[in-house]
Amino acid sequence: MSGSFAFSVLHTDGKARRGQITTPHGLVQTPAFMPVGTTGTVKAMYTDQVRETGADVVLGNVYHLMLRPTAERVARLGGLHTFMRWPHTILTDSGGFQIMSLGALRKLNEDGVTFKSHVDGSKHYLSPERSMEIQGLLGSDIQMQLDECLKLPAERSEVIRAMELSARWAARSKARFEELGGPQKGQGLYGIVQGGTDIELRLKSAELLTDIGFWGYSVGGLAVGEPQHEMLAVLDDTCPALPEDKPRYLMGVGTPDDLVKSVAHGIDMFDCVMPTRAGRHATAYTRFGKINLKNARHADDPRPLDEESSCPATRDYSRAYLHHLVKSNESLSGMLITWNNIAYYQDLMRGARDAIATGQYNDYLAACTDGWERGDIPAVG
Amino acid sequence: MSGSFAFSVLHTDGKARRGQITTPHGLVQTPAFMPVGTTGTVKAMYTDQVRETGADVVLGNVYHLMLRPTAERVARLGGLHTFMRWPHTILTDSGGFQIMSLGALRKLNEDGVTFKSHVDGSKHYLSPERSMEIQGLLGSDIQMQLDECLKLPAERSEVIRAMELSARWAARSKARFEELGGPQKGQGLYGIVQGGTDIELRLKSAELLTDIGFWGYSVGGLAVGEPQHEMLAVLDDTCPALPEDKPRYLMGVGTPDDLVKSVAHGIDMFDCVMPTRAGRHATAYTRFGKINLKNARHADDPRPLDEESSCPATRDYSRAYLHHLVKSNESLSGMLITWNNIAYYQDLMRGARDAIATGQYNDYLAACTDGWERGDIPAVG
């Protein structure tokens, strides 16, 4: 059930793909949603719960972990799998996205990027090579190249510069990944396609990366504020330019609607803080759409969020109780709603996989959308 | 396994008692520690976890629940057991202690007390009768009379006045409890012994209450800042003045050391926010004493808090990971350390019950104290 990084497409339905990734820590069924475990914890959840929702893989953030507890410390403690008690697949990002978000606190040149820690203001340095070293120390199964992720909108010349720099960093990342023995350990490295919403630049980026050759390909720099149709247009042109036999990972996306539509364009993997962050802010994702548990309509409602769910948080706790916990600022509200959200995202991906396997993905997509548009069940009480 | 309120002493060892309380929602093995579920949740824990640690009973706070979500709403939703998903025994306090803590925000007379809500500043009223009505609506198995809990130190005349008022309120509470059919529902009502640290007043209070007659007797107004030896001196004289065939509940106490010593004086039940509150502030209670997980000595320690524990939080997570979660302000730290603490308190009471049953309570008390005094295992790394 585990081995060297490999990917196979088991079924296709239109452009949608049902696949399977093998890693040193197990199998990842795709399309897959990866809960975000920024600092080595999927916030407010036990890893056993995360696993029970059906997640095959979680994401760790290099930026956060390199600052605290540091990659060296995690390595001494047996690696990130042992440290956070997640014996299944782990994907790490490269640190690029978070560092680029630091704005004035960071300084970038050809070699790499210096930045100040949000924890204590101390100075740090990250290069493509150092990011690979950190990800190697963490022991992640699927690793990301360091890239420069621009804030959009930006001048076209800037988008070109960042995309070309990211491609040069991609080559350096691969070289260091190989020096560190990543392939021998069965780990995989993904290149990251950049280029903003400019199709020509996206295709150029895809070409540069496929020439280098990676175990998988990420689409970065999307879902940063642009309308959904622009994001989907980029995917529409970018996905066909990527190797069919490698997984495609749309980074930092998104809403349930973003996910099912991106799957239709050929995306295999997703990560997003949305379900965990929303869970701590009283928003539940369900097949009835987004439900705001702060709303007084739930105060006397003895029904659960969704009685047909197999997730205990979704099925066994009344909306009235969840509303009460939210109003009382009780941590159990974040625990339960996050659990519901991660379970719903996993259910959504499980449904997508089943639908692709039986050639019914369009129907599935329509049924999901109908459910969200119909909205929540009528209030009681 | 459930029925009308009843208590039997199964074993004694010196003054220590091993007993069993029957309630409409099950059996409570004593000595018992009751985790505090103030607003209908033992903070940062799932009720299944609370149960698995060995808790037979949790405590709900009338003051918090009457304000939000209100007793009437909880009743409409099926009662507190259903609302919070705890099908076992529930004890509720009377609201007195919290209201007395409001200081200038409350006004007390013979009839009852008016106070302002900490939630929204709205005005509320509580009397002995109203407290019984609220506890009846919540459906709690073990209910408390409303009492006046003074801030100590206080003038002796004040202590007398409050103790006598509490005794009159005790009689009114019992009358209303009976009118509401509490006894027919199998519920029990406890009187609360007051009188500060003045033995004469404590004995007078005990006499007044036993003359009225209750299902159990609480000792209130202790652990409010006085030295432990004063608290134990009060118990030493008060416990023998209470009926041998009724449970004795020391309210709001305390540290593990307070618990095992109070058991030696004949106390059967405890509640305290300490293990849950400490859990959210990085302090773990263990057989090695209190462990501060903020301390950098744990940063590289791969060992769990206590590898011999049967609690997953205590046994399966490294101190290094717990330290990292604390430093990163992750909610999982509060979840895990609270879980450890509640499990430790339950282990402590389980050990006490076993020791009393075999006539070895003094040895048990000495062994616990030795462990705490020896302190934590030496640091590594």
Side-chain angles (χ1 to χ4, degrees), chain B residues 154-198:
Chain B
E155 290 293 320
R156 187 161 196 268
S157 59
E158 263 296 279
V159 179
I160 294 173
R161 186 199 55 72
M163 180 273 283
E164 291 178 344
L165 178 69
S166 295
R168 292 192 297 277
W169 283 7
R172 286 167 54 188
S173 297
K174 185 180 177 187
R176 190 71 184 123
F177 176 71
E178 290 179 332
E179 281 169 17
L180 291 167
Q184 286 70 40
K185 295 177 202 156
Q187 298 163 344
L189 173 65
Y190 285 25
I192 303 178
V193 178
Q194 289 289 359
T197 52
D198 188 310

Side-chain angles (χ1 to χ4, degrees), chain A residues 126-147:
Chain A
L126 199 64
S127 64
E129 291 79 10
R130 179 62 186 147
S131 181
M132 288 292 97
E133 287 158 14
I134 290 169
Q135 295 180 68
L137 286 165
L138 296 174
S140 67
D141 304 288
I142 307 178
Q143 306 181 14
M144 294 293 128
Q145 69 148 108
L146 188 67
D147 63 334

Side-chain angles (χ1 to χ4, degrees), chain A residues 110-136:
Chain A
E110 180 69 28
D111 192 57
V113 55
T114 48
F115 62 95
K116 278 192 180 167
S117 157
H118 74 286
V119 176
D120 60 4
S122 58
K123 230 176 176 176
H124 295 266
Y125 175 72
L126 199 64
S127 64
E129 291 79 10
R130 179 62 186 147
S131 181
M132 288 292 97
E133 287 158 14
I134 290 169
Q135 295 180 68

Side-chain angles (χ1 to χ4, degrees), chain A residues 11-19 29-33 228 231-232 235-236 239 248 250 253 255-270 345 348-357 360-362 364-365:
Chain A
H11 303 275
T12 59
D13 181 3
K15 292 183 191 167
R17 297 137 54 102
R18 161 80 182 92
Q29 305 302 330
T30 65
F33 177 78
Q228 190 196 49
M231 178 182 85
L232 295 175
L235 297 183
D236 205 32
C239 285
R248 302 166 188 156
L250 179 55
V253 174
T255 65
D257 186 59
D258 287 337
L259 264 59
V260 292
K261 286 185 177 146
S262 300
V263 165
H265 284 79
I267 294 294
D268 306 301
M269 303 169 72
F270 303 90
Y345 269 64
L348 192 66
M349 292 295 96
R350 195 179 297 111
R353 294 193 294 267
D354 292 347
I356 297 166
Q360 299 174 300
Y361 192 69
N362 278 340
Y364 179 72
L365 206 161

